[in-house]
Amino acid sequence: MKKIFLSIILILFLGVYSCSEDFTVNPRLNVEDLETYFLEEDNVETAIIGIYDLMQYNYGRDWHSAFLVKLLPGDDSNAAGGNSEDQGQLQNIDDYANVSSSNVSIASVWDLFYRTIALSNLVIENIKDSSLSNKDKALAEAKFMRAWSYMELTTMFGDIPLRLTVPTGAEEFGIAKSSRADVYAQIKLDLTDAIASLPEKSALSDNFRVSKGTAQALMGKVLVFQEKYSEAIPYFQSVINNPSHDLETDPGDVWSISNEFGKESLFEIGFVSTTARDWGNIAWGGRNESNLHIQLMGPRGDGIFDLTGTGLINGWGFNLPTNKLATAFDTAGDVKRKAATLMTENELIAAGGKVDATAASGGVIWDYEGAIRIKYATKSEDTSSGGVRELNYSTNFRLFRYAEVLLLAAEAYNKAGGQDAAARAELNKVRNRAGLVDIDVTTSGNALFEAIVNEKYLELAHEGQRFWDLVRWGKASTELAGTGYSSTNDLFPIPITEIDKNSELTVADQNPGY
């Protein structure tokens, strides 16, 4: 996908819902009149592309990405890096320690989701009564993006401000928190409209865009998170019965750059390797069309990991697998999917590489538990076109994929009652792709649910789902025992910048424990 940067005209509106000084103090300059801007179909299209661009920025922003912030509380990943002080705000999230309302990575994620909502609201308000030929599709995409953003926010923060209009001045910025139930209700309204007007995946004009199936799948996920399992099932069935959606043949195919925006992808953030970034023009803290996180998460160099024979290139060492995850693969006899997810030290040595702990600070490789990650790895196949090699990876982030839909459907069938055969059928599709046999036909009830839980741990490892599933299942205190976790960590703190700027919030509105 060739990404298109939003024009300066619309970028000036992106701070509308964030807690920046720009909104409350500095006047906007060189702003085109909204009464005329959205009269042009091309301008509406530019605004929609801008929403996708904000998503890319949020999930791929240097040290503050939504990808890492969602991932690190789980028991599938360790923060790693060079030492315990390397990007301390991420180490704190990973270790459940000293997580505060001033954590800059958490604040960035909050801010950028609300900026995405702001632009979505701007589009919705200005075209809802228009006669433009692309109005319905544009409204559907904007409402999906608003729904996605609110789903991510309420999952991580609980009760949050529900912003659905564009404020005309600083005095309208203040807004109280809405309950998670009210947030879910708005998400479902937006997704209902999105489902009605989005095209099928097979009819998309651009492969990076969301489809009707994407919105149906998200609706099902929202309903499962609300424990409305019977209501979720028809949405999952619509996706499963659509021939445009399917599993890739092999687990490793999911993560290959040759299969980006493939049949398994429902929502994917695109990156390119053609912008020739180097140490002089890389936009630290800003926007890059390359995926800097692939380098950030590659096995650390400095003589620590010798990757000979692996097809991998050294990176900066963040996001290392836990021993618990590696053991879970071995316990399940899961060879194929394990190979697409991680590599143990013994496997690294067998390939021709080695590990030298003496090269690490103090002779200890921080957060290393005996494995390196293969999923989202620094693969030599991902070549760059100019610039510095490690700054120009193009690997896309797969945010929502068909395998997750199958596992959510299995959970819904199981929890709805009396439909365990259907649950096993969806679960087996994921297991079979991983090279595992069908689950025993006598497995039912809670035993089947536990099998789904374990399958999801293996299938979605390092994708940012694990921790939030443990919380909603009531399993976090058991699965994370001895890690420093407490129930306070079930939600992130509302950023102090929001409380300081939002006149309808006080410290009493902060999430419990912060």
Side-chain angles (χ1 to χ4, degrees):
M1 173 183 65
K2 181 180 180 180
K3 298 294 292 181
I4 304 173
F5 272 100
L6 189 59
S7 71
I8 188 64
I9 292 171
L10 285 177
I11 286 176
L12 291 173
F13 289 100
L14 298 185
V16 170
Y17 295 151
S18 68
C19 302
S20 66
E21 290 288 344
D22 290 343
F23 176 75
T24 56
V25 178
N26 299 324
R28 299 296 186 181
L29 303 175
N30 302 319
V31 177
E32 184 172 327
D33 191 341
L34 287 175
E35 293 181 2
T36 59
Y37 187 86
F38 284 103
L39 296 178
E40 300 291 334
E41 292 181 0
D42 286 348
N43 289 348
V44 172
E45 175 68 4
T46 298
I48 295 297
I49 295 298
I51 301 175
Y52 284 95
D53 188 61
L54 277 171
M55 283 286 188
Q56 184 204 56
Y57 184 30
N58 198 359
Y59 284 94
R61 184 184 179 191
D62 51 64
W63 319 111
H64 308 313
S65 72
F67 175 83
L68 280 179
V69 167
K70 282 194 69 186
L71 168 68
L72 290 178
D75 55 0
D76 48 343
S77 170
N78 289 328
N83 53 58
S84 62
E85 303 301 318
D86 196 350
Q87 297 303 314
Q89 80 283 358
L90 297 178
Q91 304 289 344
N92 289 344
I93 294 170
D94 180 53
D95 296 333
Y96 317 106
N98 302 315
V99 179
S100 74
S101 59
S102 58
N103 184 292
V104 290
S105 292
I106 292 173
S108 175
V109 169
W110 171 283
D111 179 64
L112 284 170
F113 274 127
Y114 273 109
R115 288 179 180 234
T116 305
I117 291 165
L119 185 52
S120 299
N121 288 343
L122 189 71
V123 172
I124 292 166
E125 281 200 11
N126 282 278
I127 70 170
K128 62 184 179 182
D129 298 320
S130 77
S131 57
L132 296 173
S133 63
N134 61 345
K135 179 189 77 171
D136 291 343
K137 182 171 176 293
L139 281 173
E141 286 185 274
K143 288 185 177 183
F144 173 86
M145 292 299 196
R146 183 167 71 180
W148 178 276
S149 297
Y150 274 127
M151 181 59 175
E152 293 281 66
L153 284 167
T154 196
T155 297
M156 290 185 281
F157 296 94
D159 298 345
I160 53 174
L162 186 59
R163 302 183 182 278
L164 302 173
T165 59
V166 178
T168 58
E171 68 281 357
E172 295 183 17
F173 178 78
I175 183 172
K177 292 198 299 185
S178 292
S179 69
R180 179 176 277 176
D182 286 344
V183 176
Y184 279 143
Q186 181 59 47
I187 290 170
K188 289 189 283 188
L189 287 174
D190 280 345
L191 289 177
T192 298
D193 290 346
I195 290 167
S197 297
L198 284 172
E200 299 286 359
K201 184 180 177 72
S202 59
L204 289 176
S205 58
D206 299 294
N207 58 7
F208 67 87
R209 293 183 183 273
V210 295
S211 69
K212 185 185 299 291
T214 314
Q216 290 168 328
L218 183 58
M219 180 73 92
K221 183 173 181 175
V222 171
L223 290 165
V224 166
F225 273 49
Q226 291 184 282
E227 300 184 357
K228 297 180 178 181
Y229 303 110
S230 295
E231 292 181 41
I233 288 170
Y235 291 101
F236 294 136
Q237 288 175 333
S238 294
V239 179
I240 293 168
N241 294 334
N242 187 329
S244 296
H245 309 290
D246 203 354
L247 295 173
E248 297 288 352
T249 303
D250 186 90
D253 294 340
V254 179
W255 313 105
S256 171
I257 59 172
S258 62
N259 288 322
E260 290 178 339
F261 301 114
K263 60 185 178 181
E264 189 163 338
S265 177
L266 290 165
F267 188 26
E268 188 165 325
I269 300 295
F271 297 91
V272 297
S273 62
T274 55
T275 53
R277 295 294 183 181
D278 59 35
W279 301 112
N281 65 25
I282 191 72
W284 299 110
R287 300 178 184 224
N288 296 288
E289 297 298 280
S290 57
N291 191 347
L292 188 62
H293 278 73
I294 302 305
Q295 173 66 16
L296 180 71
M297 299 188 299
R300 197 166 184 88
D302 302 330
I304 299 173
F305 290 104
D306 178 346
L307 302 175
T308 300
T310 65
L312 302 180
I313 302 170
N314 288 116
W316 298 336
F318 281 81
N319 189 8
L320 284 174
T322 61
N323 179 63
K324 180 179 180 179
L325 177 63
T327 300
F329 278 112
D330 291 339
T331 300
D334 191 337
V335 177
K336 286 177 63 177
R337 187 165 47 188
K338 176 187 175 185
T341 306
L342 58 83
M343 178 182 290
T344 65
E345 184 170 320
N346 287 339
E347 291 163 345
L348 172 61
I349 293 170
K354 63 180 181 179
V355 180
D356 183 2
T358 65
S361 176
V364 175
I365 306 172
W366 175 248
D367 268 350
Y368 176 62
E369 296 182 6
I372 59 173
R373 188 178 27 74
I374 300 299
K375 186 182 288 188
Y376 289 131
T378 40
K379 296 179 180 178
S380 56
E381 69 171 5
D382 189 357
T383 57
S384 62
S385 302
V388 175
R389 176 67 192 85
E390 55 262 46
L391 302 181
N392 290 281
Y393 284 100
S394 64
T395 304
N396 291 353
F397 278 144
R398 282 73 161 172
L399 299 186
F400 201 15
R401 57 189 181 91
Y402 186 67
E404 183 180 355
V405 171
L406 296 177
L407 293 171
L408 285 165
E411 180 182 349
Y413 281 124
N414 171 253
K415 289 294 188 179
Q419 302 184 70
D420 280 347
R424 289 191 295 270
E426 304 309 334
L427 176 61
N428 285 334
K429 292 175 185 177
V430 180
R431 289 178 58 82
N432 294 164
R433 196 265 296 273
L436 301 176
V437 300
D438 285 356
I439 193 166
D440 192 286
V441 294
T442 64
T443 307
S444 61
N446 190 63
L448 179 56
F449 172 69
E450 292 298 331
I452 295 167
V453 168
N454 190 62
E455 198 69 29
K456 199 171 187 184
Y457 184 38
L458 302 178
E459 179 65 32
L460 299 184
H462 295 275
E463 295 180 51
Q465 297 299 318
R466 173 66 172 178
F467 177 75
W468 312 102
D469 279 339
L470 292 178
V471 170
R472 71 182 179 90
W473 289 329
K475 289 178 169 290
S477 60
T478 300
E479 293 293 327
L480 302 175
T483 64
Y485 160 85
S486 74
S487 59
T488 294
N489 304 114
D490 287 352
L491 297 173
F492 286 142
I494 296 173
I496 191 62
T497 48
E498 177 73 23
I499 293 174
D500 286 345
K501 293 290 183 181
N502 188 334
S503 61
E504 295 300 312
L505 295 183
T506 70
V507 291
D509 295 303
Q510 183 57 271
N511 284 327
Y514 295 105

